[in-house]
Amino acid sequence: MNKIAVSILNCDFGNLNREIEMINRSDADWFHLDIMDGIFVPNISFGFPIIRAVKSKAAKPLDAHLMIASPDRYIKDFKAAGADWLTVHYETCPHLHRTVQNIKQEGMKAGVTLNPHSPVGLLEDIVGDIDLALLMSVNPGFGGQDFIENTCDKIARLREMIEKKGSKALIQVDGGIDAGNIAKLAKAGADVFVVGSFIFRAADPVQTIRELAAAV
Ligand code: DX5
Ligand code: ZN
């Protein structure tokens, strides 16, 4: 069952309750929360108070994408704030196997992300331990960027690796996704599609989410 994860990075934070309610009543499956620290990526987004606020109103799972240095420091805090899925960047974790175990020990689903330049083969010896593998289809840090085409090929290669290893990991793709490319990504083998600005720029976000969900 393919899923739509709505990134709230470009939502109207002045009307956060309204945005959460829109996502609750839409066909979206998850809330995608982009956490940026201004160190690993050149932008700062939001932290625990916003996550807690979303959790208090959300009727769907919270999928937190950590773009922060040394994410191990905060695993328990993300659990306490309400994260259901916690995804860390391969590029930030020198002891990734330990990090993944720590996330699972807290009772969350564990994800690992690759930047656009990081080869899929880096996941070969961790893919059996994780619940989700996220391929970045833009350089992390900002919403509204153009989709990097090479990601389609990476999805297909990751799908092949997951099948070969007998892993249950979902393939998530994040960045620059819209109605024009989502079907192609599903066909390449992705399971979860993160969409942000295409939804929040739309005149009717609920209808837009419906169309995206129907396309996969
Ligand atoms: C980028 C974030 C994405 C992004 C998605 O660093 O991880 O989740 O906000 O937004 P769009 O759909 O605007 O690319
Ligand atoms: Zn993200």
Side-chain angles (χ1 to χ4, degrees), residues 198-212:
F198 185 69
I199 289 168
F200 290 102
R201 273 201 302 251
D204 185 344
V206 169
Q207 175 62 18
T208 300
I209 295 169
R210 188 175 303 132
E211 286 165 12
L212 291 166

Side-chain angles (χ1 to χ4, degrees), residues 7 9-10 32 34 36 65 67 136 138 140-145 174-177 194-197:
S7 163
L9 186 61
N10 281 339
H32 182 86
D34 289 303
M36 305 178 182
H65 170 197
M67 288 158 272
M136 291 308 298
V138 297
F142 303 93
Q145 303 180 79
D174 182 5
I177 300 178
V194 177
V195 190
S197 43

